[in-house]
Amino acid sequence: MNIKKSTFFFLLFISYSITIAQNVSDKDILKQIKGKEIEWIAGGNSLAKVLMKSTKKWGIYHIEAYEYSDEEIEELLLDDKFEINFEEVVAPKFDSIGWFKDMEPFIIVKNNKKYGVLMNPYEIPDAVEKVNCMYDAIKIVENDGRFYTLVKQNKKWGLVDWFEDVTLVEPSFDKPEDVPLVWIEPWAKDMFIASKKKLDADILIFDEGNGDGVFKARNKNTKKWGMYQSLGSEALTTLIPANYDSINFFNFNGKYTSVYNEDKVGIYLSYWSYGDKAKQTVPCIYDDYKKFDADGVPKLAVKKNGKWGWINWLTGEEQSEFNYETPEDLPYPYFNQDIWMED
């Protein structure tokens, strides 16, 4: 089944209309279904959560219940005034279970004091079998039309892919709001797993803007970031070594990007432009930077000790005094900015 996660619109209910007669009590329904407790799902089109006597677990059922009139009983020669039919939607295997709301493509279930994710059973036939209740807590976060599964283990928070069942961010954060919302497409699953293992990384973040297999990875031990490219589960190219507190992705056709250490910014050249000569040309000693286009030539301003000046991003050489309050105060950059390295 081909399901696009970012537009996971699903039909929660079957199309025909069901009547639940007001005079059909929950007690009568529980007797027929052999349940212990029942909770009707608001707006659920005859859906109910039922605690079953046989398993002592909760499941979800689609229930039709109708009470015949005396005239109907006599005319149809019926033995029972109630007609109660039910269909199992979610097998009774959980200590607690929710239901879908606000277009969420999955819900949280609980077993033996641990939590797991249940996908929509109308879309995923083996949804119940896929559930793995192994987390201390789960939090659903919606961001930009996507749903993320934050999980807690050993008092730390991480992130898992609810659809592919892949750990995206190892549980290493004290608060759920600190966990980066990483996203991978289904085609990148094998590459993600292989690269994460090969780099001994706890976080991988793909460059969604390019879709060319470029990602940032944080080393599990040093907590330093590097940048890599992989178009398969085996090949792996290092674009920037894992020496930095943070890294920005390259712009389209960009000659360089910014890297950070101890809240200071530097510049690293693009592998696609400079190949094996790509390296850090500007050390991480500046407070901020701003790119300019000077008559078609890319120029770079940097901030140091509260003042702005020009710098040659290819060589790292400072090209002006640092006497300017804002980058807009800088004089026109007449210096020669080389684009290509000499052979």
Side-chain angles (χ1 to χ4, degrees), residues 116-240:
V117 165
L118 173 68
M119 291 183 285
N120 180 10
Y122 284 112
E123 292 284 353
I124 311 297
D126 58 346
V128 173
E129 285 69 30
K130 289 179 177 292
V131 175
N132 187 8
C133 293
M134 58 181 292
Y135 303 106
D136 300 325
I138 294 179
K139 183 177 181 180
I140 299 174
V141 174
E142 189 274 334
N143 184 51
D144 196 23
R146 291 174 172 172
F147 290 91
Y148 298 84
T149 313
L150 299 172
V151 297
K152 187 178 184 181
Q153 280 184 315
N154 300 321
K155 300 181 179 181
K156 297 290 185 179
W157 286 89
L159 180 73
V160 298
D161 186 305
W162 57 266
F163 188 78
E164 298 291 344
D165 192 27
V166 174
T167 299
L168 302 177
V169 179
E170 301 287 342
S172 58
F173 293 86
D174 293 330
K175 300 177 181 178
E177 55 267 26
D178 294 336
V179 180
L181 299 181
V182 178
W183 188 265
I184 62 169
E185 297 294 342
W187 65 264
K189 176 183 175 181
D190 292 340
M191 180 180 69
F192 180 94
I193 294 173
S195 299
K196 193 165 179 280
K197 181 178 180 181
K198 186 178 294 185
L199 296 169
D200 195 23
D202 59 356
I203 306 176
L204 265 70
I205 300 177
F206 280 86
D207 183 0
E208 294 187 48
N210 291 323
D212 54 0
V214 173
F215 61 90
K216 299 184 287 188
R218 190 178 78 167
N219 183 274
K220 186 183 300 184
N221 299 312
T222 66
K223 304 303 181 185
K224 294 289 187 178
W225 288 87
M227 191 182 300
Y228 309 88
Q229 184 178 33
S230 178
L231 297 176
S233 59
E234 298 298 329
L236 186 67
T237 301
T238 298
L239 306 178
I240 299 176

Side-chain angles (χ1 to χ4, degrees), residues 4-59:
K4 187 176 181 182
K5 296 186 292 182
S6 60
T7 56
F8 195 95
F9 295 101
F10 48 85
L11 295 175
L12 293 180
F13 319 118
I14 52 182
S15 59
Y16 53 84
S17 175
I18 301 300
T19 301
I20 299 294
Q22 293 182 353
N23 292 334
V24 181
S25 69
D26 288 351
K27 183 178 179 181
D28 291 321
I29 293 174
L30 286 171
K31 182 179 179 181
Q32 177 71 20
I33 203 171
K34 298 180 180 179
K36 187 177 181 180
E37 293 182 39
I38 187 170
E39 295 180 11
W40 292 98
I41 296 172
N45 196 27
S46 306
L47 289 168
K49 295 184 285 186
V50 179
L51 178 64
M52 299 297 287
K53 291 181 179 180
S54 58
T55 63
K56 296 183 174 59
K57 300 283 187 177
W58 288 90

Side-chain angles (χ1 to χ4, degrees), residues 241-258:
N243 297 328
Y244 302 97
D245 293 341
S246 65
I247 296 174
N248 286 328
F249 285 116
F250 291 97
N251 292 332
F252 181 72
N253 287 335
K255 296 292 189 294
Y256 62 85
T257 191
S258 53

Side-chain angles (χ1 to χ4, degrees), residues 209-317:
N210 291 323
D212 54 0
V214 173
F215 61 90
K216 299 184 287 188
R218 190 178 78 167
N219 183 274
K220 186 183 300 184
N221 299 312
T222 66
K223 304 303 181 185
K224 294 289 187 178
W225 288 87
M227 191 182 300
Y228 309 88
Q229 184 178 33
S230 178
L231 297 176
S233 59
E234 298 298 329
L236 186 67
T237 301
T238 298
L239 306 178
I240 299 176
N243 297 328
Y244 302 97
D245 293 341
S246 65
I247 296 174
N248 286 328
F249 285 116
F250 291 97
N251 292 332
F252 181 72
N253 287 335
K255 296 292 189 294
Y256 62 85
T257 191
S258 53
V259 292
Y260 295 82
N261 268 329
E262 298 180 354
D263 295 324
K264 300 291 185 179
V265 64
I267 296 299
Y268 205 100
L269 299 180
S270 167
Y271 175 86
W272 301 293
S273 295
Y274 302 101
D276 293 337
K277 292 183 179 180
K279 61 181 180 179
Q280 183 175 359
T281 55
V282 177
C284 295
I285 60 174
Y286 298 99
D287 302 319
D288 200 359
Y289 74 99
K290 185 172 182 179
K291 298 178 181 180
F292 286 87
D293 184 295
D295 296 324
V297 180
K299 300 290 179 80
L300 181 67
V302 291
K303 185 178 182 181
K304 182 173 66 174
N305 299 325
K307 303 292 184 178
W308 286 86
W310 293 111
I311 195 169
N312 185 318
W313 51 262
L314 187 68
T315 65
E317 297 176 2

